[in-house]
Amino acid sequence: LQNISTGEFMDIDTYCKDLDENLHLVMAILYREVVNDSNGKYSIKPYEANTRERAELFRKKMPASVAQSCLVFFLQFRKQLFDRYSSIFRGGQQDRKGAQFGKKWGWYTVVMMLCKEDLTKIDEVTNYSIHKSLTYMMYIKDKEKLNKK
């Protein structure tokens, strides 16, 4: 999970809001075909956002115990990530309209910030590692604080 992309992480995190409906989608992202395996290092098939057909196989065939174990692993990683980049995820000064906007658009606001609202860059930024994206966001937040002084 250390190399998970921004898009993968955001999609899984969004799907985790309703696991009764979306657990199979989470599993389709986390469990992908190994395409190269050499000397104990492997690479997996690139992430494709449209995984619904594959996800149905997980809904039908994956034992709940396996899915739950995998989910626990992801949620631990998520907690570590949120702890490491906590300054981004803390509430801060936000008016009611800003909070409603953030709740409605969720991770999309992050994607649009990363691509500087250039739609042609969405695929590029969602392929960045989640660590790269969150480090950049921390930089921008710290820079904004410095400029306000």
Side-chain angles (χ1 to χ4, degrees), residues 9-40:
F9 181 84
M10 290 177 179
D11 284 351
I12 294 169
D13 194 56
T14 300
Y15 290 145
C16 282
K17 289 178 178 24
D18 186 0
L19 285 170
D20 290 338
E21 282 296 314
N22 300 322
L23 183 59
H24 63 295
L25 297 169
V26 171
M27 294 303 108
I29 296 169
L30 292 174
Y31 283 98
R32 295 198 305 272
E33 180 182 343
V34 173
V35 293
N36 186 14
D37 186 357
S38 67
N39 297 333

Side-chain angles (χ1 to χ4, degrees), residues 9 13 78 81-92 107 110 130 134 137 141:
F9 181 84
D13 194 56
R78 180 186 185 274
L81 202 66
F82 276 54
D83 289 347
R84 181 175 180 181
Y85 300 99
S86 62
S87 65
I88 296 170
F89 299 110
R90 270 189 253 123
W107 282 109
V110 172
I130 190 66
L134 295 178
M137 289 176 59
K141 189 171 183 176

